[in-house]
Amino acid sequence: MRKHLATMMAATSVALVAGTMGTGMVRPVIHAKPSASKPVIHWKGTITMFAQTYTPNVPGVKLPPGSPKLTAFAHAAAAFEKMYPGIHIKFVFPVAADSGNPQWFETKAAAGQLPDVVWSLYQNNDNVLPRGVFTNLAPYFAKPNPYIPGNKRWSGVMNPHVLAMVMAPNGAQYEVDGDWVGTDFYYNKNLFAKAGIKTTPKTWAALLNDAKKLKAHGIIPGADIPNYGWYVRLFLGNMLGVKASQRLVSYTKHSADVVNAYDEVMGYHAGFFNPAKNPRIMAWWPVMKQLFNYWDKNVSNVNAINPPSGAPSGSSLFPAGKVAMIYQGSWTPENLKLAKVKFPYGSFNFPSLKGATPYATNLNSSAAVGGPSAGFEYAISTHGSDSTMNPAKFQAVLDWVRFFFTPKWDQAIVNQLGSYVPTLKGTTPIPADKALAQSITHPFYVNLGFSDVTPAAGNQLTTLFQEYVTGHITFAAAKLQFNRIAATAVSQYAAEHHIHY
């Protein structure tokens, strides 16, 4: 199978994760007129597309209770069909239970049965799949998109940080990516007002001061299960800073603005990323503990690895108006809407850490938790993975992708779902995620803090972090255990990946 796929026309690699799907497509009546300035398409026929979480309603598929009824992509399809009579956009649901994982892609591609346009994620563009599944779109990114007035380069409307992150190691671009899943503090405006808080905190000191005010007014400031994997990125991204992060990746000549496990292992060997030698690696733990001193203790002590069913959480207490803040993802506004919350709420970015510790920098790391791993990410199949694809059809498929991958449709489609943030230039997110959209205008460095070096290390550090911030062990004891966990993880990673320093 791999030998067969290796002969396909273009190089690619993707891996997908499961996501929620909207269902049911009802075509609206569109009164758009064809424009003489748009490309001429002579091909006629049906273009199939799996739009994953943005898939519009498909007749016969029953929606789970509370699911949003999505129509925006159907409107885009109807407008394109109106512009090009004889072309039909058919949204499909893969029937396989494991649709979206690499094995499903490999099997369908080997049989030439992939849809023409497929949702895909960027993370594993490092040859997880054989080459040839998707078309390299980089040459088209460099050309004008005729469906965007005045556009000189299609990539010109794309967020440059997203564009850099989704690029394959060989420089290819195998998918268009127009949304962002991110994290922010969401807050209850009524409770903030009751405590006399008039503006959202911009610094760590202000955040702690607001938590103190809320507590003084009998309000629980927030609730959260200590998530080491999230907070380590925010704090180390800031405390290592741009120059230090560049030093870390220099050990492997890694040029991207994302630090991976291999970078960490090599940096550990060099001494820079060794917690026993570099105090920055753990200096943020006492800073985070300051916040958890104000957080709901019942939630903070819930098992972070395997929380019991029905355990209290910020996700349940915040909609009920019982806590003033939660640190959650861009899907929160949609969940709050489904929960029919009555109070007004807003959001603010993870605050500046400058001054919180001598090691804090001015780097804005608020976008370090999240990324272009959401739903508005689509690839075009090659002839090898999609037997119906030929040059004439490809041109029609490309124009369909260029048509919907514009600021107009990016905003309409992404905002209707309400779980992510549109990233194309000129788009505006839903009001509750305005702050989150601002955070992704900054370059950032993601540092994993050994949590992804080995699975065991990730679990051990999560537990250790929770024990410390909830006051069950001292910082000195936590440092000793952290050093042992890091040393073991690095040794195991080096052995498994045959690293010889």
Side-chain angles (χ1 to χ4, degrees):
M1 182 180 295
R2 288 185 177 275
K3 184 177 180 181
H4 166 70
L5 289 175
T7 63
M8 294 181 185
M9 297 179 350
T12 192
S13 49
V14 296
L16 303 182
V17 296
T20 57
M21 301 180 186
T23 52
M25 183 186 71
V26 178
R27 285 295 161 81
V29 176
I30 298 294
H31 300 289
K33 295 182 179 180
S35 172
S37 63
K38 300 300 185 291
V40 175
I41 302 176
H42 298 290
W43 180 86
K44 310 294 182 185
T46 297
I47 295 173
T48 57
M49 179 174 184
F50 171 40
Q52 204 253 6
T53 192
Y54 296 110
T55 299
N57 297 14
V58 174
V61 179
K62 187 177 181 180
L63 287 166
S67 298
K69 295 180 179 179
L70 304 177
T71 58
F73 236 137
H75 282 267
F80 189 76
E81 293 172 350
K82 185 71 175 180
M83 187 176 293
Y84 296 109
I87 294 180
H88 174 63
I89 309 299
K90 180 181 180 181
F91 293 96
V92 299
F93 280 101
V95 294
D98 61 346
S99 62
N101 65 33
Q103 291 74 32
W104 177 83
F105 268 98
E106 199 167 294
T107 301
K108 289 295 182 181
Q113 296 177 351
L114 280 181
D116 302 318
V117 183
V118 189
W119 167 74
S120 76
L121 291 179
Y122 78 93
Q123 288 97 327
N124 290 314
N125 278 331
D126 55 1
N127 299 320
V128 168
L129 286 181
R131 296 191 173 194
V133 178
F134 295 139
T135 302
N136 177 14
L137 298 174
Y140 305 101
F141 284 7
K143 298 178 180 179
N145 182 332
Y147 302 98
I148 303 175
N151 180 251
K152 298 294 191 293
R153 292 171 62 94
W154 191 8
S155 60
V157 299
M158 301 177 188
N159 182 296
H161 309 307
V162 171
L163 198 60
M165 289 185 71
V166 303
M167 181 184 294
N170 62 358
Q173 297 282 3
Y174 292 113
E175 66 237 1
V176 294
D177 195 308
D179 64 356
W180 183 277
V181 55
T183 48
D184 256 348
F185 278 96
Y186 292 85
Y187 70 102
N188 184 319
K189 292 184 177 181
N190 287 346
L191 295 182
F192 266 48
K194 182 178 178 181
I197 302 172
K198 298 180 180 179
T199 60
T200 54
K202 301 297 188 297
T203 66
W204 188 257
L207 176 62
L208 294 179
N209 190 51
D210 287 348
K212 184 178 180 179
K213 288 181 180 178
L214 288 162
K215 186 175 181 180
H217 283 78
I219 301 167
I220 300 175
D224 188 15
I225 299 175
N227 192 325
Y228 175 77
W230 281 13
Y231 294 120
V232 68
R233 302 180 197 177
L234 292 160
F235 279 91
L236 277 187
N238 170 277
M239 292 173 61
L240 289 179
V242 174
K243 291 183 178 179
S245 295
Q246 289 172 341
R247 178 182 172 187
L248 183 58
V249 299
S250 72
Y251 296 119
T252 57
K253 309 301 181 184
H254 184 195
S255 61
D257 61 351
V258 178
V259 176
N260 60 30
Y262 183 65
D263 297 324
E264 291 184 320
V265 168
M266 298 303 290
Y268 179 92
H269 176 71
F272 174 71
F273 213 60
N274 186 332
K277 298 180 180 180
N278 187 348
R280 281 182 172 85
I281 307 304
M282 284 193 72
W284 63 275
W285 285 39
V287 178
M288 195 66 218
K289 188 176 186 298
Q290 294 172 341
L291 186 64
F292 272 93
N293 286 338
Y294 292 102
W295 253 223
D296 185 284
K297 304 300 182 184
N298 292 323
V299 176
S300 299
N301 283 289
V302 171
N303 188 302
I305 304 299
N306 294 301
S309 176
S313 69
S315 298
S316 60
L317 294 178
F318 183 76
K322 295 183 178 180
V323 298
M325 289 180 278
I326 54 172
Y327 187 72
Q328 272 293 338
S330 51
W331 56 87
T332 299
E334 179 61 26
N335 289 344
L336 296 177
K337 184 170 68 174
L338 293 175
K340 298 180 180 179
V341 299
K342 303 299 183 182
F343 57 83
Y345 57 89
S347 66
F348 59 90
N349 288 164
F350 192 80
S352 168
L353 293 170
K354 186 65 175 178
T357 166
Y359 301 108
T361 71
N362 285 320
L363 182 69
N364 186 328
S365 60
S366 60
V369 181
S373 308
F376 206 71
E377 307 172 72
Y378 302 106
I380 298 178
S381 301
T382 65
H383 174 69
S385 61
D386 174 7
S387 61
T388 69
M389 192 70 71
N390 56 49
K393 182 177 184 180
F394 170 79
Q395 188 58 49
V397 173
L398 174 65
D399 274 302
W400 160 236
V401 174
R402 292 195 295 187
F403 178 81
F404 73 72
F405 199 76
T406 60
K408 171 187 174 181
W409 290 112
D410 182 39
Q411 177 173 312
I413 294 168
V414 174
N415 284 355
Q416 185 182 56
L417 179 65
S419 296
Y420 309 119
V421 172
T423 61
L424 295 191
K425 294 179 181 179
T427 58
T428 301
I430 59 175
D433 279 333
K434 182 179 179 180
L436 196 156
Q438 293 173 343
S439 73
I440 63 175
T441 62
H442 304 282
F444 59 91
Y445 286 77
V446 175
N447 302 275
L448 304 178
F450 299 103
S451 61
D452 283 1
V453 173
T454 66
N459 289 339
Q460 290 165 359
L461 288 174
T462 296
T463 300
L464 180 64
F465 177 69
Q466 182 175 26
E467 289 176 342
Y468 170 70
V469 298
T470 53
H472 295 289
I473 61 173
T474 65
F475 186 57
K479 286 177 66 176
L480 288 174
Q481 291 189 49
F482 191 107
N483 289 335
R484 287 195 290 267
I485 293 169
T488 300
V490 168
S491 177
Q492 182 179 341
Y493 186 95
E496 291 179 351
H497 293 80
H498 308 290
I499 296 176
H500 302 286
Y501 302 111

